[in-house]
Amino acid sequence: MNRQAQAAVLFLTGAALLHAGFTDLYLRYVKAGLRPLLLAAGVVLIAAALATAWYEWKRARRSKGEAATAKAAEAADVTDIADAHEHVHREPRISWLLVLPLFALILVAPPALGSYSAMRTGTALQQPYGYAKLPAGDPVPVSLVDYAGRAVYDHGRSLGGRSVRITGFVAVDRTGAPYLVRMALNCCAADAQPVKVGLTGKIPPVLQPDAWLEVTGRYTTERTRDPVNHGPIPFLQVTAAKPVPTPHDPYDETWNN
């Protein structure tokens, strides 16, 4: 690729990063805390593109002044110039494939990881360092990861028999057993791992994988083991459930707090 093409690719990549950073699109790729770095990267790429275009423009102007000298040299020694031309190499056309990921970033907005990834990856539940006191009022909203940690490692004691409300997307295993899942991440979507909660009780008769549900229920001692990595999966005794829109940030960042 010549310098002009390189500058154009840098500029478009930087613009795509800025577009993602100023909208919710970046949440499909990285955690919310990385937004400033993403915007800074976009600015740096655009600055590099403009600098490349500027230096290439200056080089082109300088080369015009040398054109007359080059023509005189060519007339004086045609053989040497012919030999020099034999050593000129064009850039390989395959290098233009570097543009394909850029077009994918601009034209395709991938969905957040869902049930397909969740049911093929073992639960990544981690033991919390502690349990914050739940606020007053039932049902109390808690994150799916928080409920799972309290249910497994605290055996539900910190829940105090309270009615809880959690949100996640639906996943169904090979036996048809339903789970409520949230993908937890440390940095970006590449390291996202599922935390799963089994559902029992008043489960809706029809559950669509990847549909988001707000589920109200209570702690139950029922548990199972994830068939992928044998990790613990707690259950929730469902008393009510309703569909909800996909949240603003589909990933859970509890581990980053």
Side-chain angles (χ1 to χ4, degrees), residues 26-245:
Y26 80 101
L27 294 173
R28 305 283 183 92
Y29 302 97
V30 298
K31 65 182 182 180
L34 292 180
R35 187 178 199 174
L37 295 179
L38 193 68
L39 295 175
V43 171
V44 169
L45 288 177
I46 290 179
L50 296 177
T52 300
W54 168 256
Y55 286 118
E56 184 62 15
W57 177 74
K58 290 183 64 177
R59 189 194 66 80
R61 289 191 60 185
R62 186 169 57 252
S63 64
K64 288 182 180 179
E66 300 171 353
T69 304
K71 289 182 179 180
E74 182 179 359
D77 194 345
V78 177
T79 303
D80 291 344
I81 296 299
D83 292 340
H85 286 173
E86 292 179 357
H87 292 85
V88 175
H89 299 283
R90 289 184 176 274
E91 296 82 359
R93 294 182 179 180
I94 196 174
S95 62
W96 284 98
L97 292 177
L98 294 172
V99 181
L100 294 182
L102 172 62
F103 286 148
L105 179 63
I106 296 174
L107 301 177
V108 180
L113 297 176
S115 61
Y116 181 87
S117 299
M119 299 314 295
R120 287 161 178 78
T121 308
T123 184
L125 182 61
Q126 299 177 2
Q127 184 170 1
Y129 293 109
Y131 307 98
K133 184 178 179 180
L134 296 178
D138 279 4
V140 57
V142 297
S143 72
L144 187 147
V145 175
D146 186 24
Y147 170 80
R150 293 171 186 266
V152 170
Y153 297 108
D154 192 48
H155 304 284
R157 288 189 292 266
S158 61
L159 294 171
R162 304 280 299 279
S163 175
V164 299
R165 184 173 66 243
I166 62 177
T167 302
F169 63 84
V170 176
V172 181
D173 65 13
R174 295 179 181 178
T175 66
Y179 297 90
L180 204 64
V181 185
R182 202 72 186 259
M183 301 297 288
L185 54 77
N186 289 310
C187 172
C188 55
D191 63 26
Q193 295 175 292
V195 175
K196 310 172 186 178
V197 171
L199 301 178
T200 186
K202 296 181 180 180
I203 304 174
V206 178
L207 291 176
Q208 183 69 29
D210 294 316
W212 284 80
L213 287 182
E214 182 183 88
V215 177
T216 302
R218 293 182 180 274
Y219 166 74
T220 175
T221 58
E222 184 178 356
R223 291 190 198 178
T224 188
R225 289 284 175 178
D226 195 307
V228 179
N229 66 348
H230 303 289
I233 298 179
F235 274 72
L236 179 72
Q237 184 75 29
V238 179
T239 57
K242 66 177 182 179
V244 293

